[in-house]
Amino acid sequence: MKRNCLSLITILLFAYAAAFSQTTVTLNTSAAKTTINKNIYGHFAEHLGHCIYDGFYVGDTSKNIPNTDGVRNDIVDALKKLKIPNLRWPGGCFADTYHWKDGIGPKDKRPTMVNKWWGGVTEDNSFGTHDFLNMCELLGAEPYLSGNVGSGTVQELADWVQYTNFAGKSPMSDLRKQNGREQPWKVKFWGIGNEAWGCGGNMKPEYYADEYRKYTTFISDWENTGGLTRIASGASDADYNWTETLMKNIPGNMLGGVAMHHYSVIEWNHKSSATKFTEEQYFATMKSALNMEELVTKHAAIMDKYDPQKKIALVVDEWGGWYDVEPNTNPGFLYQQNTMRDAMIAGVTLNIFNNHADRVRIACLAQCVNVLQAVILTDKEKMVLTPTYHVMEMYNVHQAATMIPVTVKTNDYTLGTEKLPAVSVSASKDAAGKTHISLVNIDTKNTQTITVNVEGAQYSSVTGRILTSSKLQNYNSFDEPNKITPAAFNGASLKANTLSVKLPPFSVVVLELN
Ligand code: AHR
């Protein structure tokens, strides 16, 4: 009897704790000093499936789709609204097979090639250097060119830099002018190969470090534009030895950044459908997404040993969810739908990047249009903005703002015996003095009641926007493109500088405090 009473009391205590437990967040505004580099909100466009062809680029003869020199105007407008800061091109794995000279000059004279990594399709090189760099000008985005180290030469990459960046008289600037472009584009971001440990050449880190040193010796700043940012091909996920070897063997003054790739994937040989997934599959995807925190922390700690002043950026130039391709699509084209699960990945990942703004200074979501965790999907003249697009648009208030360190004590999101932190948060103060807090609740069932204490600042009003939907598996389709869009959020109230927030299940909220 006594034992029964005790277990009843224990159950009641747990039930009470579950019903009333709160997540507490503290904003340490007086410790705010690091700028969130706008470039962590960057994107990636590879010659893969319909990212470029029938995505960004419909060709200048397209009659049905309004375009500027072949680039869709609706995509340009949408990405400008997103404040896209940079765009990485032409790959990915494609970059180490790409010879840029095949993509300049009269389009009907350009040689073809076979896109060996992505579907074995014939690439006609009709979208090349001019098309991409002019498109970046339209977008107001910094181009990030990935050089071919795997199957190219040092001379070829040095020539590309001279072609794009040199204003004076030289063989490559003459060629550029002959092809119709007088002024150089002044490209700052240069990737020296991609995934050199894999599709970029299956190299060992010591060998790649030497290759990198050789390439960067000749990839110089033709224009004195303030210096090129030369970025080393980085580790896959937790390959800390890769980062350590590069940091040890490459002089700091040759390194602008070290890359790292991490995809939110359940298992490479056992992924899930993009739209028809179970809660177990959602949980596993979020576990992988949240692992970005550990990866960034550990890679950054290695970089700290060699670069305590944090001059070299950690560049997460490929991230996002990776699922099975949509039924009846080419498996080599990596076309997948985008649900509220993707919104959750985007929200927690961008919070991690914001919170590590001291080291993570460039990042690129994979990929921008029609591939993997895209922000835009197209079908002929139709275009859809995905839930991921909306998260990136809501979060763009953090670009170039000062990061406010946050301390978060959160409830868990539990499934069976496993648990994950339910709430993820980041905050910043912009140049106009407004504070923005982005909050994500990944829990599928429980609303999170959050108390936000603000130290070192006074606020008198709060407004906000929310992205959520009735089902985690919901998405924006070509027939229902506005099923998921941001709405005004009324779940936050401010009393005596303490903010109370009720965050519904699987939702992303961005608050503005004045
Ligand atoms: O984004 C798709 C591919 O994933 C990229 O080409 C490659 O770098 C990575 O393995």
Side-chain angles (χ1 to χ4, degrees):
M1 180 63 183
K2 197 171 163 194
R3 187 181 291 163
N4 281 349
C5 276
L6 275 177
S7 7
L8 186 65
I9 290 169
T10 319
I11 290 167
L12 286 173
L13 278 175
F14 269 116
Y16 180 84
F20 293 99
S21 71
Q22 287 205 338
T23 290
T24 43
V25 176
T26 306
L27 258 56
N28 309 303
T29 52
S30 40
K33 59 175 196 310
T34 309
T35 302
I36 296 173
N37 195 312
K38 66 176 182 175
N39 284 307
I40 67 171
Y41 288 84
H43 291 265
F44 173 32
E46 180 163 13
H47 284 233
L48 193 178
H50 294 303
C51 183
I52 299 294
Y53 300 111
D54 287 329
F56 275 104
Y57 186 69
V58 288
D60 21 24
T61 53
S62 174
K63 292 203 174 66
N64 302 333
I65 305 172
N67 64 82
T68 305
D69 297 332
V71 173
R72 287 180 74 129
N73 294 344
D74 52 359
I75 292 188
V76 170
D77 292 344
L79 293 177
K80 279 169 89 167
K81 187 155 179 249
L82 207 55
K83 299 200 173 127
I84 178 173
N86 69 62
L87 188 59
R88 178 172 180 249
W89 177 83
C93 293
F94 179 78
D96 282 290
T97 64
Y98 182 65
H99 300 285
W100 69 269
K101 284 181 186 159
D102 294 347
I104 55 171
K107 295 203 178 195
D108 58 350
K109 301 260 162 27
R110 295 184 189 175
T112 58
M113 66 179 283
V114 174
N115 192 334
K116 134 180 172 67
W117 294 110
W118 306 118
V121 292
T122 303
E123 157 73 57
D124 68 1
N125 276 306
S126 55
F127 188 90
T129 298
H130 290 247
D131 308 86
F132 176 70
L133 295 177
N134 292 344
M135 179 172 96
C136 285
E137 284 185 341
L138 280 181
L139 292 168
E142 199 72 59
Y144 172 4
L145 293 180
S146 275
N148 180 347
V149 170
S151 69
T153 62
V154 175
Q155 186 63 55
E156 187 180 358
L157 189 48
D159 280 353
W160 207 11
V161 179
Q162 193 185 78
Y163 188 88
T164 58
N165 285 11
F166 190 55
K169 187 165 170 49
S170 77
M172 289 302 114
S173 51
D174 284 351
L175 187 56
R176 183 190 70 234
K177 289 174 194 170
Q178 197 183 308
N179 287 329
R181 173 78 187 199
E182 189 64 29
Q183 294 304 321
W185 291 274
K186 299 190 180 177
V187 178
K188 283 201 188 111
F189 298 153
W190 290 89
I192 312 300
N194 168 74
E195 298 195 345
W197 42 264
C199 64
N202 280 308
M203 302 177 211
K204 294 183 181 155
E206 293 79 6
Y207 179 82
Y208 173 71
D210 280 349
E211 283 288 283
Y212 180 91
R213 292 167 64 125
K214 185 171 72 181
Y215 269 78
T216 45
T217 303
F218 299 96
I219 309 310
S220 45
D221 184 2
W222 291 99
E223 268 301 288
N224 294 319
T225 50
L228 305 179
T229 301
R230 294 169 297 188
I231 298 161
S233 165
S236 168
D237 306 287
D239 185 355
Y240 300 115
N241 178 51
W242 185 274
T243 301
E244 179 98 41
T245 308
L246 300 197
M247 291 301 294
K248 197 192 305 175
N249 292 300
I250 302 172
N253 62 3
M254 293 183 115
L255 264 178
V258 174
M260 193 268 282
H261 291 175
H262 173 59
Y263 285 97
S264 302
V265 66
I266 300 173
E267 273 177 52
W268 284 108
N269 293 327
H270 200 71
K271 302 196 246 354
S272 76
S273 152
T275 52
K276 296 184 184 74
F277 53 89
T278 61
E279 179 151 7
E280 282 72 21
Q281 289 172 324
Y282 167 68
F283 190 96
T285 311
M286 293 318 297
K287 191 173 176 181
S288 175
L290 287 164
N291 187 233
M292 183 69 89
E293 173 67 38
E294 178 178 323
L295 295 171
V296 164
T297 304
K298 291 191 174 166
H299 283 288
I302 293 166
M303 295 175 77
D304 285 350
K305 280 201 291 175
Y306 299 90
D307 173 35
Q309 291 178 315
K310 300 183 192 291
K311 288 189 176 154
I312 302 164
L314 180 58
V315 176
V316 189
D317 53 14
E318 287 185 32
W319 68 271
W322 192 320
Y323 317 117
D324 290 334
V325 296
E326 290 304 310
N328 308 317
T329 64
N330 187 328
F333 283 9
L334 308 185
Y335 176 75
Q336 62 189 41
Q337 249 299 351
N338 197 290
T339 65
M340 280 304 298
R341 169 169 65 172
D342 296 275
M344 298 293 102
I345 297 175
V348 301
T349 305
L350 294 170
N351 281 343
I352 293 168
F353 293 163
N354 283 345
N355 291 331
H356 286 274
D358 59 341
R359 185 62 86 174
V360 181
R361 295 198 289 269
I362 305 176
C364 306
L365 173 65
Q367 298 191 5
C368 199
V369 179
N370 292 332
V371 171
L372 297 175
Q373 192 176 340
V375 288
I376 292 174
L377 300 176
T378 62
D379 180 15
K380 300 186 189 72
E381 66 287 349
K382 292 186 186 166
M383 181 187 87
V384 153
L385 304 178
T386 65
T388 303
Y389 174 94
H390 294 302
V391 174
M392 294 206 82
E393 186 273 320
M394 288 163 75
Y395 272 57
N396 71 21
V397 291
H398 293 300
Q399 290 188 18
T402 308
M403 186 266 285
I404 301 175
V406 290
T407 314
V408 183
K409 194 175 135 295
T410 168
N411 291 333
D412 291 324
Y413 159 41
T414 53
L415 189 71
T417 53
E418 285 209 271
K419 55 186 183 182
L420 292 172
V423 174
S424 131
V425 184
S426 70
S428 68
K429 187 172 181 172
D430 70 13
K434 290 177 187 157
T435 293
H436 293 102
I437 312 175
S438 38
L439 305 113
V440 185
N441 176 14
I442 64 166
D443 195 318
T444 51
K445 295 177 193 73
N446 299 309
T447 292
Q448 304 297 325
T449 303
I450 305 173
T451 304
V452 185
N453 302 303
V454 187
E455 286 175 357
Q458 289 290 323
Y459 298 104
S460 56
S461 73
V462 57
T463 53
R465 290 202 296 159
I466 183 168
L467 191 79
T468 190
S469 194
S470 56
K471 268 181 75 189
L472 191 57
Q473 288 82 359
N474 282 351
Y475 55 89
N476 290 335
S477 65
F478 295 104
D479 296 328
E480 226 183 329
N482 296 320
K483 193 180 180 88
I484 305 171
T485 52
F489 179 63
N490 303 315
S493 59
L494 189 63
K495 227 190 230 166
N497 226 33
T498 297
L499 188 63
S500 302
V501 187
K502 284 211 180 315
L503 204 58
F506 53 91
S507 65
V508 179
V509 163
V510 176
L511 299 175
E512 180 173 308
L513 292 167
N514 280 294

